[in-house]
Amino acid sequence: MLGIQCASIESEIQSLSEEIEILRNQQALGSSSQLDELREENAKLKYRINVLKRSLQEDPAECSKTMMNINQRLQEIFCESINSAYPELVNPPLSVTPNQQAKFGDYQCNSAMAMAQMMKAKGLKVNPREIAEKIVQNIPENEMIQKTEIAGPGFINVHLKKSFVSKLLTNLLVNGVQPPPLEKKQKVIVDFSSPNIAKEMHVGHLRSTIIGESMCRLFEFLGYSVLRLNHVGDWGTQFGMLIAHLQDMFPDYLTSSPPIGDLQSFYKESKKRFDSEEDFKKRAYQCVVKLQSKEPDFIKAWNLICDVSRKEFQKVYNCLDISLVERGESYYQNMMTEVVKEFEDKGFVQLDEGRKIVFAPGFSVPLTIVKSDGGYTYDTSDLAALRQRLFDEKANIIIYVTDSGQASHFYVVFACAQMIGWYDPKVTRVEHAGFGVVLGEDKKKFKTRSGDTVRLMDLLEEGLKRSMDKLKEKERDKVLTAEELVRAQRAVAFGCIKYADLSHNRINDYVFSFDKMLDDRGNTAAYLLYAFTRIRSIARLASIDEATLRKAAETTEVLLDHEKEWKLGKCILRFPEILQKILDDLLLHPLCDYLYELATTFTEFYDNCYCVEKDRQTGEVVKVNMWRMLLCDATAAVMAKGFDILGINPVERM
């Protein structure tokens, strides 16, 4: 079948090529009045050949296993149509979006109005409806459009073929939730979490950790090679005071591991001494010099402090199922001298009261790459890190997930890197994904009652306690085993904390409320987890095992005759479109909105379409509508993949 399809395309290419040759000869012989028409026809044929060649280069066998991005496919069709209808327009606007009202169709092409404006700017006055009509007339033969309708000033409403949607659903059921194929494998580096050694992770680290992890999961699912970096603060002046305090408190630290259980208190004690004891302060600075000189005893002290912090960080990462490779500031220390030299050699460095500074084009605040005392700064460290990621790691995409307050700093770093020629933003994507702060229910910065920053571990433990209370309130402890109850507790607690963050636009601040996030009504993880468990239970209640469902997927057509079946089928297949949107703008809340829409659309379907029919008296199953069971299965499969990208672990029973 595949060979026949390829042969057919090759045959069409040959035929079209011959037609172009004939047209060329006619151009040489024909009158000038015919010339424009012939050129237009020639351009159309060349465009068609390029489209066919692209189709031939794709591996249809591979493509058939993946989910199709319907919106993208429609864009390709309308792009071809617009180019055929108006070959003289350079880069004509292309807009295809899902239709908000089902009565107007499934998708809508809104290009005609923008094209009319484009033509008007060139002195051509054309009615948008006329443009829309010409676009429709030039739509190529395709596998997906049932019909089109022109509405209003020039909207083109698109109705999909039910047979086409049914085939895509069967493909999903047979092959699983597979992403559209990547044009080429690319390397992505995501810099996130990034706590400071000797300080406990607090609620401020929550957003970076959760958002960064979810971005990594998205890129991995889409087929990218992902490096997750934890750029911890593990170098600098503060380590001088920590080592000096360690020497005083545990003089035998070189032979006996010191019991530094509460590193936060240890840090506060050393900071207090640093601020109030002049002799201690001098000794702390001496310790910094010896650490930077790599003296073995001081390196060991530094490692001891770092190891205690790592163990505390890992407790949080284990709860939230976070995977990271640690490369702290210390990793880039030996690279900073070369970075400074490179900026000096290229004439970008200015002296300012003993400091060495660099101005980026368009920015009034410079980077300080060498302090007046000869030391390096965060600016130098971040430049060295970016250079290493570009040249050594050869990353195609680099994303920094930190709070929005650091945005201006990163913009200057990126601008300096471009100025010196490290990367071209048209080729390499380097981006700061900033986020707002976490607020308490009083709409002020989230703090404890005493005014301290909330420890992240305390927050997670409180989440566990509250989720167990919620499960017991719903009497789940009476139907679940002890092991199932603990799994449900962790799924609800950590899932709700993650979802509450990810369901908000990351750019905005958001209010942290356990009561809202544990509510099983509305757009919350609790609601979605219960909905998922309910969907999964349908097959079990009908005594249908996975093997039966797999066989049915290969042999049973997914019927979409009922309006709720049709609505659900289309909603399931919008998943790749949502992922593409997230990839474009790095905002994760559209995935949460989509999962909520999918769950509510499923509920409408389930309330209106019997999947399993039972005898009212005996309760025995008398009929199973298998195509509807397959719709249940497809919904659950997409929800599970969405949960996985968000880092939420659903359970079969709750």
Side-chain angles (χ1 to χ4, degrees):
M1 185 69 187
L2 183 58
I4 294 169
Q5 184 180 351
C6 290
S8 173
I9 292 174
E10 286 173 342
S11 174
E12 190 171 350
I13 289 174
Q14 179 62 34
S15 173
L16 289 169
S17 298
E18 289 170 1
E19 197 171 337
I20 285 175
E21 197 56 41
I22 292 167
L23 285 168
R24 277 183 183 151
N25 295 332
Q26 286 177 339
Q27 283 181 35
L29 299 170
S31 65
S32 59
S33 63
Q34 296 174 310
L35 197 55
D36 290 341
E37 289 180 24
L38 291 169
R39 280 177 177 160
E40 185 177 334
E41 188 63 26
N42 201 3
K44 289 179 183 178
L45 289 168
K46 282 183 178 178
Y47 184 84
R48 179 65 184 150
I49 283 180
N50 288 332
V51 170
L52 288 165
K53 282 180 177 176
R54 283 200 303 272
S55 300
L56 200 58
Q57 286 165 1
E58 293 174 359
D59 181 350
E62 184 62 34
C63 292
S64 68
K65 294 179 182 177
T66 63
M67 287 189 76
M68 178 189 285
N69 184 329
I70 295 175
N71 192 307
Q72 195 169 358
R73 178 71 185 109
L74 284 170
Q75 286 182 38
E76 290 169 4
I77 290 169
F78 277 98
C79 179
E80 183 175 349
S81 171
I82 290 167
N83 278 286
S84 296
Y86 296 95
E88 70 279 5
L89 284 184
V90 179
N91 296 323
L94 179 64
S95 173
V96 179
T97 59
N99 232 326
Q100 299 304 311
Q101 296 185 55
K103 65 181 179 179
F104 295 129
D106 307 310
Y107 286 82
Q108 192 174 77
C109 176
N110 303 322
S111 299
M113 287 73 74
M115 288 171 67
Q117 290 297 318
M118 190 179 191
M119 292 177 185
K120 186 177 179 182
K122 293 183 176 184
L124 299 170
K125 191 172 182 181
V126 187
N127 188 308
R129 273 191 79 94
E130 290 177 26
I131 295 173
E133 286 166 4
K134 198 169 179 182
I135 292 171
V136 168
Q137 288 165 9
N138 282 274
I139 291 175
E141 284 189 28
N142 62 83
E143 74 283 27
M144 60 196 307
I145 298 176
Q146 178 70 40
K147 66 174 181 177
T148 57
E149 296 167 335
I150 299 171
F155 300 110
I156 303 171
N157 292 324
V158 179
H159 297 257
L160 299 176
K161 291 179 182 176
K162 287 187 178 177
S163 59
F164 167 74
V165 172
S166 179
K167 282 177 185 175
L168 291 186
L169 289 167
T170 295
N171 174 58
L172 183 156
L173 289 158
V174 171
N175 296 302
V177 184
Q178 303 291 339
L182 273 181
E183 286 185 16
K184 61 178 180 177
K185 190 106 173 177
Q186 291 189 310
K187 184 167 188 179
V188 180
I189 293 177
V190 184
D191 178 328
F192 68 105
S193 194
S194 307
N196 288 314
I197 295 292
K199 295 182 180 179
E200 287 181 301
M201 290 182 76
H202 54 78
V203 72
H205 294 112
L206 180 68
R207 300 208 74 184
S208 177
T209 304
I210 289 172
I211 294 167
E213 172 69 20
S214 190
M215 284 182 184
C216 290
R217 287 168 177 257
L218 171 67
F219 279 111
E220 285 167 346
F221 172 64
L222 293 173
Y224 291 82
S225 171
V226 179
L227 176 59
R228 304 139 170 266
L229 288 185
N230 198 5
H231 189 86
V232 297
D234 66 348
W235 205 252
T237 307
Q238 76 271 25
F239 279 93
M241 68 184 193
L242 287 165
I243 292 169
H245 192 52
L246 180 72
Q247 291 171 335
D248 292 346
M249 299 299 294
F250 305 103
D252 61 344
Y253 75 90
L254 290 170
T255 55
S256 179
S257 185
I260 314 174
D262 189 348
L263 203 55
Q264 186 81 346
S265 297
F266 188 81
Y267 179 89
K268 286 180 179 178
E269 290 166 9
S270 66
K271 184 71 169 71
K272 186 176 179 182
R273 292 184 66 191
F274 185 83
D275 292 339
S276 60
E277 300 175 25
E278 197 58 36
D279 288 345
F280 180 82
K281 189 173 188 176
K282 287 179 182 176
R283 194 153 55 86
Y285 280 126
Q286 290 169 358
C287 288
V288 172
V289 174
K290 291 179 179 180
L291 175 63
Q292 290 175 341
S293 301
K294 307 286 178 69
E295 290 193 22
D297 289 359
F298 290 83
I299 289 292
K300 181 165 185 179
W302 173 71
N303 276 322
L304 282 168
I305 294 165
C306 289
D307 285 343
V308 174
S309 272
R310 285 190 193 102
K311 287 174 185 173
E312 292 304 308
F313 297 161
Q314 197 56 46
K315 290 177 185 176
V316 171
Y317 295 147
N318 288 343
C319 285
L320 296 175
D321 195 17
I322 307 295
S323 174
L324 281 156
V325 173
E326 184 185 305
R327 282 190 193 163
E329 292 168 359
S330 61
Y331 182 87
Y332 305 100
Q333 290 305 300
N334 296 336
M335 305 174 195
M336 295 192 202
T337 304
E338 187 60 36
V339 165
V340 173
K341 184 176 182 302
E342 188 174 346
F343 273 92
E344 285 180 325
D345 289 348
K346 293 192 176 179
F348 292 125
V349 175
Q350 298 179 29
L351 291 176
D352 179 61
E353 297 181 351
R355 298 181 304 148
K356 291 182 179 180
I357 61 173
V358 176
F359 280 96
F363 290 90
S364 58
V365 178
L367 294 181
T368 298
I369 58 172
V370 181
K371 294 187 291 185
S372 56
D373 63 4
Y376 297 132
T377 67
Y378 289 124
D379 295 349
T380 333
S381 173
D382 283 336
L383 282 169
L386 179 54
R387 190 181 189 282
Q388 192 274 339
R389 293 165 188 181
L390 288 165
F391 291 99
D392 296 349
E393 297 295 343
K394 295 181 171 52
N396 306 101
I397 301 172
I398 305 172
I399 299 166
Y400 293 78
V401 186
T402 74
D403 66 88
S404 295
Q406 298 183 54
S408 57
H409 162 72
F410 280 110
Y411 292 156
V412 179
V413 170
F414 301 160
C416 284
Q418 291 171 42
M419 176 181 71
I420 203 169
W422 287 353
Y423 77 97
D424 180 352
K426 293 177 183 175
V427 177
T428 306
R429 182 179 182 182
V430 181
E431 195 165 336
H432 176 251
F435 53 82
V437 299
V438 182
L439 305 174
E441 294 192 63
D442 58 359
K443 304 292 176 68
K444 295 178 181 177
K445 204 165 183 179
F446 197 36
K447 292 183 180 294
T448 63
R449 288 180 181 176
S450 61
D452 294 330
T453 304
V454 178
R455 290 175 68 244
L456 197 43
M457 206 60 221
D458 290 345
L459 191 77
L460 297 176
E461 286 170 358
E462 177 70 10
L464 285 170
K465 177 184 174 300
R466 293 205 185 206
S467 68
M468 182 59 80
D469 291 344
K470 190 76 175 177
L471 288 164
K472 287 181 176 177
E473 181 188 310
K474 295 173 75 72
E475 299 187 337
R476 304 312 296 162
D477 55 321
K478 294 179 181 178
V479 295
L480 299 177
T481 66
E483 188 179 333
E484 286 173 337
L485 188 64
V486 169
R487 279 206 300 269
Q489 176 196 24
R490 292 178 69 83
V492 172
F494 303 143
C496 285
I497 289 171
K498 288 180 179 182
Y499 192 86
D501 190 309
L502 296 169
S503 62
H504 290 85
N505 187 325
R506 64 168 165 79
I507 296 168
N508 302 330
D509 301 343
Y510 87 97
V511 175
F512 190 98
S513 166
F514 274 121
D515 289 338
K516 286 182 181 176
M517 66 179 66
L518 289 167
D519 194 340
D520 55 10
R521 296 161 299 178
N523 189 6
T524 66
Y527 168 75
L528 289 175
L529 286 166
Y530 285 119
F532 178 80
T533 304
R534 179 189 179 197
I535 297 167
R536 281 291 195 214
S537 71
I538 294 168
R540 187 169 60 247
L541 294 172
S543 300
I544 298 172
D545 58 23
E546 283 191 24
T548 304
L549 277 172
R550 278 200 303 273
K551 186 175 180 181
E554 295 171 355
T555 58
T556 306
E557 181 185 359
V558 180
L559 301 177
L560 302 166
D561 296 332
H562 194 287
E563 64 169 316
K564 301 302 181 184
E565 294 171 338
W566 179 235
K567 184 179 179 182
L568 178 60
K570 290 185 296 176
C571 188
I572 291 167
L573 295 177
R574 278 185 38 235
F575 187 54
E577 297 172 24
I578 302 299
L579 299 188
Q580 184 60 50
K581 180 173 172 55
I582 300 169
L583 198 63
D584 292 341
D585 56 26
L586 300 178
L587 297 172
L588 288 149
H589 65 276
L591 177 55
C592 299
D593 293 340
Y594 166 75
L595 291 175
Y596 179 61
E597 181 188 348
L598 182 59
T600 53
T601 302
F602 176 83
T603 299
E604 286 180 29
F605 154 78
Y606 192 67
D607 290 345
N608 287 275
C609 303
Y610 288 115
C611 298
V612 180
E613 297 179 32
K614 296 182 179 180
D615 186 290
R616 291 187 178 181
Q617 293 182 335
T618 64
E620 290 182 10
V621 174
V622 294
K623 184 181 178 183
V624 174
N625 293 317
M626 191 56 78
W627 78 92
R628 289 176 177 168
M629 294 302 301
L630 292 174
L631 277 170
C632 296
D633 199 39
T635 303
V638 169
M639 284 188 76
K641 181 50 67 178
F643 284 150
D644 185 55
I645 291 169
L646 296 174
I648 295 171
N649 298 314
V651 290
E652 291 295 320
R653 298 188 68 203
M654 278 182 61

PDB file of all heavy atoms in Angstrom, residues 484-501:
ATOM      1  N   GLU A 484      -3.150   1.588  49.036  1.00  0.00           N
ATOM      2  CA  GLU A 484      -3.863   2.407  48.050  1.00  0.00           C
ATOM      3  C   GLU A 484      -4.167   3.796  48.609  1.00  0.00           C
ATOM      4  O   GLU A 484      -4.096   4.796  47.891  1.00  0.00           O
ATOM      5  CB  GLU A 484      -5.168   1.726  47.629  1.00  0.00           C
ATOM      6  CG  GLU A 484      -4.976   0.526  46.717  1.00  0.00           C
ATOM      7  CD  GLU A 484      -6.277  -0.221  46.463  1.00  0.00           C
ATOM      8  OE1 GLU A 484      -7.215  -0.111  47.298  1.00  0.00           O
ATOM      9  OE2 GLU A 484      -6.360  -0.924  45.440  1.00  0.00           O
ATOM     10  N   LEU A 485      -4.482   3.845  49.890  1.00  0.00           N
ATOM     11  CA  LEU A 485      -4.808   5.117  50.529  1.00  0.00           C
ATOM     12  C   LEU A 485      -3.595   6.051  50.537  1.00  0.00           C
ATOM     13  O   LEU A 485      -3.722   7.252  50.255  1.00  0.00           O
ATOM     14  CB  LEU A 485      -5.307   4.879  51.955  1.00  0.00           C
ATOM     15  CG  LEU A 485      -5.876   6.108  52.692  1.00  0.00           C
ATOM     16  CD1 LEU A 485      -7.129   6.623  51.991  1.00  0.00           C
ATOM     17  CD2 LEU A 485      -6.190   5.745  54.152  1.00  0.00           C
ATOM     18  N   VAL A 486      -2.426   5.500  50.842  1.00  0.00           N
ATOM     19  CA  VAL A 486      -1.198   6.311  50.857  1.00  0.00           C
ATOM     20  C   VAL A 486      -0.872   6.802  49.448  1.00  0.00           C
ATOM     21  O   VAL A 486      -0.474   7.960  49.257  1.00  0.00           O
ATOM     22  CB  VAL A 486      -0.016   5.510  51.441  1.00  0.00           C
ATOM     23  CG1 VAL A 486       1.302   6.253  51.217  1.00  0.00           C
ATOM     24  CG2 VAL A 486      -0.231   5.262  52.933  1.00  0.00           C
ATOM     25  N   ARG A 487      -1.054   5.923  48.443  1.00  0.00           N
ATOM     26  CA  ARG A 487      -0.799   6.339  47.057  1.00  0.00           C
ATOM     27  C   ARG A 487      -1.754   7.463  46.654  1.00  0.00           C
ATOM     28  O   ARG A 487      -1.357   8.427  46.002  1.00  0.00           O
ATOM     29  CB  ARG A 487      -0.949   5.151  46.107  1.00  0.00           C
ATOM     30  CG  ARG A 487       0.277   4.258  46.052  1.00  0.00           C
ATOM     31  CD  ARG A 487       0.364   3.513  44.722  1.00  0.00           C
ATOM     32  NE  ARG A 487      -0.778   2.656  44.489  1.00  0.00           N
ATOM     33  CZ  ARG A 487      -0.861   1.379  44.852  1.00  0.00           C
ATOM     34  NH1 ARG A 487       0.162   0.811  45.479  1.00  0.00           N
ATOM     35  NH2 ARG A 487      -1.932   0.662  44.598  1.00  0.00           N
ATOM     36  N   ALA A 488      -3.030   7.327  47.036  1.00  0.00           N
ATOM     37  CA  ALA A 488      -4.017   8.365  46.725  1.00  0.00           C
ATOM     38  C   ALA A 488      -3.673   9.663  47.450  1.00  0.00           C
ATOM     39  O   ALA A 488      -3.793  10.757  46.880  1.00  0.00           O
ATOM     40  CB  ALA A 488      -5.410   7.896  47.116  1.00  0.00           C
ATOM     41  N   GLN A 489      -3.236   9.543  48.699  1.00  0.00           N
ATOM     42  CA  GLN A 489      -2.853  10.723  49.482  1.00  0.00           C
ATOM     43  C   GLN A 489      -1.736  11.508  48.795  1.00  0.00           C
ATOM     44  O   GLN A 489      -1.817  12.731  48.645  1.00  0.00           O
ATOM     45  CB  GLN A 489      -2.379  10.286  50.876  1.00  0.00           C
ATOM     46  CG  GLN A 489      -1.871  11.437  51.741  1.00  0.00           C
ATOM     47  CD  GLN A 489      -1.054  10.957  52.938  1.00  0.00           C
ATOM     48  OE1 GLN A 489      -0.496   9.859  52.907  1.00  0.00           O
ATOM     49  NE2 GLN A 489      -0.987  11.756  53.980  1.00  0.00           N
ATOM     50  N   ARG A 490      -0.695  10.809  48.362  1.00  0.00           N
ATOM     51  CA  ARG A 490       0.439  11.472  47.715  1.00  0.00           C
ATOM     52  C   ARG A 490       0.030  12.043  46.352  1.00  0.00           C
ATOM     53  O   ARG A 490       0.436  13.149  45.978  1.00  0.00           O
ATOM     54  CB  ARG A 490       1.610  10.492  47.561  1.00  0.00           C
ATOM     55  CG  ARG A 490       2.234  10.093  48.887  1.00  0.00           C
ATOM     56  CD  ARG A 490       3.361   9.090  48.692  1.00  0.00           C
ATOM     57  NE  ARG A 490       4.515   9.680  48.046  1.00  0.00           N
ATOM     58  CZ  ARG A 490       5.473  10.373  48.663  1.00  0.00           C
ATOM     59  NH1 ARG A 490       5.409  10.567  49.982  1.00  0.00           N
ATOM     60  NH2 ARG A 490       6.498  10.867  48.001  1.00  0.00           N
ATOM     61  N   ALA A 491      -0.791  11.277  45.602  1.00  0.00           N
ATOM     62  CA  ALA A 491      -1.237  11.748  44.281  1.00  0.00           C
ATOM     63  C   ALA A 491      -2.031  13.042  44.411  1.00  0.00           C
ATOM     64  O   ALA A 491      -1.820  14.000  43.657  1.00  0.00           O
ATOM     65  CB  ALA A 491      -2.083  10.675  43.597  1.00  0.00           C
ATOM     66  N   VAL A 492      -2.942  13.090  45.391  1.00  0.00           N
ATOM     67  CA  VAL A 492      -3.780  14.274  45.590  1.00  0.00           C
ATOM     68  C   VAL A 492      -2.947  15.440  46.119  1.00  0.00           C
ATOM     69  O   VAL A 492      -3.016  16.557  45.598  1.00  0.00           O
ATOM     70  CB  VAL A 492      -4.953  13.968  46.542  1.00  0.00           C
ATOM     71  CG1 VAL A 492      -5.696  15.255  46.904  1.00  0.00           C
ATOM     72  CG2 VAL A 492      -5.913  12.971  45.902  1.00  0.00           C
ATOM     73  N   ALA A 493      -2.129  15.187  47.157  1.00  0.00           N
ATOM     74  CA  ALA A 493      -1.366  16.278  47.787  1.00  0.00           C
ATOM     75  C   ALA A 493      -0.413  16.941  46.804  1.00  0.00           C
ATOM     76  O   ALA A 493      -0.481  18.159  46.573  1.00  0.00           O
ATOM     77  CB  ALA A 493      -0.591  15.737  48.986  1.00  0.00           C
ATOM     78  N   PHE A 494       0.464  16.151  46.221  1.00  0.00           N
ATOM     79  CA  PHE A 494       1.486  16.731  45.355  1.00  0.00           C
ATOM     80  C   PHE A 494       0.914  17.126  43.994  1.00  0.00           C
ATOM     81  O   PHE A 494       1.345  18.117  43.395  1.00  0.00           O
ATOM     82  CB  PHE A 494       2.659  15.760  45.200  1.00  0.00           C
ATOM     83  CG  PHE A 494       3.275  15.364  46.520  1.00  0.00           C
ATOM     84  CD1 PHE A 494       3.750  14.074  46.747  1.00  0.00           C
ATOM     85  CD2 PHE A 494       3.358  16.272  47.562  1.00  0.00           C
ATOM     86  CE1 PHE A 494       4.300  13.716  47.957  1.00  0.00           C
ATOM     87  CE2 PHE A 494       3.907  15.928  48.795  1.00  0.00           C
ATOM     88  CZ  PHE A 494       4.377  14.635  48.993  1.00  0.00           C
ATOM     89  N   GLY A 495      -0.070  16.370  43.520  1.00  0.00           N
ATOM     90  CA  GLY A 495      -0.731  16.732  42.260  1.00  0.00           C
ATOM     91  C   GLY A 495      -1.447  18.059  42.370  1.00  0.00           C
ATOM     92  O   GLY A 495      -1.376  18.895  41.458  1.00  0.00           O
ATOM     93  N   CYS A 496      -2.123  18.268  43.495  1.00  0.00           N
ATOM     94  CA  CYS A 496      -2.867  19.523  43.680  1.00  0.00           C
ATOM     95  C   CYS A 496      -1.936  20.718  43.809  1.00  0.00           C
ATOM     96  O   CYS A 496      -2.218  21.799  43.276  1.00  0.00           O
ATOM     97  CB  CYS A 496      -3.764  19.418  44.912  1.00  0.00           C
ATOM     98  SG  CYS A 496      -5.222  18.391  44.650  1.00  0.00           S
ATOM     99  N   ILE A 497      -0.822  20.549  44.509  1.00  0.00           N
ATOM    100  CA  ILE A 497       0.138  21.649  44.662  1.00  0.00           C
ATOM    101  C   ILE A 497       0.722  22.027  43.299  1.00  0.00           C
ATOM    102  O   ILE A 497       0.829  23.204  42.951  1.00  0.00           O
ATOM    103  CB  ILE A 497       1.252  21.256  45.662  1.00  0.00           C
ATOM    104  CG1 ILE A 497       0.678  21.211  47.086  1.00  0.00           C
ATOM    105  CG2 ILE A 497       2.425  22.227  45.586  1.00  0.00           C
ATOM    106  CD1 ILE A 497       1.615  20.631  48.129  1.00  0.00           C
ATOM    107  N   LYS A 498       1.085  21.016  42.515  1.00  0.00           N
ATOM    108  CA  LYS A 498       1.646  21.288  41.177  1.00  0.00           C
ATOM    109  C   LYS A 498       0.602  21.937  40.270  1.00  0.00           C
ATOM    110  O   LYS A 498       0.875  22.928  39.585  1.00  0.00           O
ATOM    111  CB  LYS A 498       2.130  19.983  40.538  1.00  0.00           C
ATOM    112  CG  LYS A 498       3.392  19.407  41.160  1.00  0.00           C
ATOM    113  CD  LYS A 498       3.780  18.121  40.443  1.00  0.00           C
ATOM    114  CE  LYS A 498       5.042  17.522  41.016  1.00  0.00           C
ATOM    115  NZ  LYS A 498       5.457  16.297  40.304  1.00  0.00           N
ATOM    116  N   TYR A 499      -0.579  21.356  40.258  1.00  0.00           N
ATOM    117  CA  TYR A 499      -1.617  21.830  39.327  1.00  0.00           C
ATOM    118  C   TYR A 499      -2.047  23.253  39.659  1.00  0.00           C
ATOM    119  O   TYR A 499      -2.301  24.056  38.757  1.00  0.00           O
ATOM    120  CB  TYR A 499      -2.815  20.883  39.365  1.00  0.00           C
ATOM    121  CG  TYR A 499      -3.800  21.108  38.242  1.00  0.00           C
ATOM    122  CD1 TYR A 499      -3.624  20.496  37.010  1.00  0.00           C
ATOM    123  CD2 TYR A 499      -4.915  21.929  38.403  1.00  0.00           C
ATOM    124  CE1 TYR A 499      -4.519  20.690  35.966  1.00  0.00           C
ATOM    125  CE2 TYR A 499      -5.818  22.136  37.370  1.00  0.00           C
ATOM    126  CZ  TYR A 499      -5.613  21.511  36.158  1.00  0.00           C
ATOM    127  OH  TYR A 499      -6.499  21.708  35.128  1.00  0.00           O
ATOM    128  N   ALA A 500      -2.127  23.568  40.949  1.00  0.00           N
ATOM    129  CA  ALA A 500      -2.524  24.922  41.353  1.00  0.00           C
ATOM    130  C   ALA A 500      -1.551  25.948  40.789  1.00  0.00           C
ATOM    131  O   ALA A 500      -1.944  27.051  40.388  1.00  0.00           O
ATOM    132  CB  ALA A 500      -2.570  25.022  42.869  1.00  0.00           C
ATOM    133  N   ASP A 501      -0.282  25.582  40.737  1.00  0.00           N
ATOM    134  CA  ASP A 501       0.727  26.476  40.178  1.00  0.00           C
ATOM    135  C   ASP A 501       0.636  26.519  38.658  1.00  0.00           C
ATOM    136  O   ASP A 501       0.532  27.592  38.046  1.00  0.00           O
ATOM    137  CB  ASP A 501       2.120  25.987  40.606  1.00  0.00           C
ATOM    138  CG  ASP A 501       3.229  26.983  40.285  1.00  0.00           C
ATOM    139  OD1 ASP A 501       3.297  27.429  39.125  1.00  0.00           O
ATOM    140  OD2 ASP A 501       4.011  27.306  41.183  1.00  0.00           O
TER     141      ASP A 501
END
